[in-house]
Each structure stands twice: as C-alpha cells, then as structure tokens.
Amino acid sequence: MHFDQRTQQALREAGLSTDEIGAASERVVEATAETADAIEDFFDGLDTVHSDMDIAHSASDVVEHEVEYVDLYTHAADLRGYLKFDGWGVYVEGGRVLTDDTVELTLGPTVHDRVRFTTDPDSL
C-alpha cells in the first residue's frame, strides 16, 4: 500500500475502511503513472522547449532548450527520471501538467528547483 502507517491510521479515523484506503492508494499510483505518461507525451516529438529556469549569466527570463529525450519512471506516488538536453541533462524528481502547452518539473542536482517548460514562451 502506498500510504505510510500514520496516513493509513488518519484515513481509518476519518472513517475509511481498509478496502477504501487500498482503493485510494491504487488511484494515487494510477494518477502518478498517468502524469508521467502525459509529461513524456508533452516532450515527445519536440525539438525545442522554453523554460523559466534560472541560468547563470543569462540576461533573459526565458531560456530555450533543445530536447533530446525525457525518460520517467514511477514508484507509488514518486515520479522520477531524467531529462536530456543537447549537451547536458538533469534528474527529474517530480512533475505535473499545468496546461496542454506547459509542464512543471521538479529538477534535482544541479538545478534544485521547480521549472516550467512550455512550447509557448509568452506563457512564461
């Protein structure tokens, strides 16, 4: 089951049965996998995306990236993976779809930030 012991206890105290907690746990796992698929679909076939990533020595608030690939996997509610650009890459430690044109990823070392990626730079 996805939920830790404290969360399971709180859900039982809120009136959920063990079967209902199990069903909720399964839905979390499904939703995480659906999000990972949607993020991969967003990047699939794109050559270039724009982001609000804070880049050292950049005068612009919007950065352009050439995307090679994104490879995500899930475990329960965790969404992890790797986003590869032309010449560098970064670990993905979470993410969500904001709109059809924009996703937000939590990036690990060396970025350590939430970054929005979009096909429309004006939306940033």
Side-chain angles (χ1 to χ4, degrees):
M1 183 173 299
H2 159 68
F3 300 119
D4 63 36
Q5 293 299 319
R6 285 184 298 274
T7 303
Q8 290 179 44
Q9 181 61 36
L11 292 170
R12 277 192 292 278
E13 290 171 4
L16 272 66
S17 70
T18 301
D19 288 343
E20 291 169 326
I21 294 169
S25 178
E26 289 176 22
R27 182 61 194 126
V28 169
V29 171
E30 291 169 4
T32 303
E34 290 166 4
T35 298
D37 289 344
I39 291 170
E40 286 183 334
D41 288 346
F42 170 82
F43 283 101
D44 188 41
L46 289 179
D47 293 326
T48 303
V49 294
H50 307 276
S51 80
D52 61 356
M53 186 183 302
D54 188 17
I55 301 286
H57 310 293
S58 175
S60 176
D61 289 337
V62 177
V63 181
E64 187 173 285
H65 307 276
E66 290 183 30
V67 178
E68 287 191 20
Y69 66 87
V70 64
D71 183 22
L72 302 177
Y73 64 93
T74 63
H75 178 73
D78 292 333
L79 185 151
R80 303 264 192 243
Y82 196 75
L83 176 57
K84 177 76 167 82
F85 300 113
D86 182 34
W88 70 286
V90 64
Y91 291 103
V92 175
E93 297 180 344
R96 62 187 179 147
V97 176
L98 299 176
T99 68
D100 289 342
D101 300 325
T102 307
V103 299
E104 180 182 73
L105 301 179
T106 301
L107 303 178
T110 57
V111 177
H112 293 292
D113 202 1
R114 293 168 97 184
V115 178
R116 290 179 297 158
F117 293 92
T118 185
T119 56
D120 177 14
D122 293 332
S123 70
L124 296 174

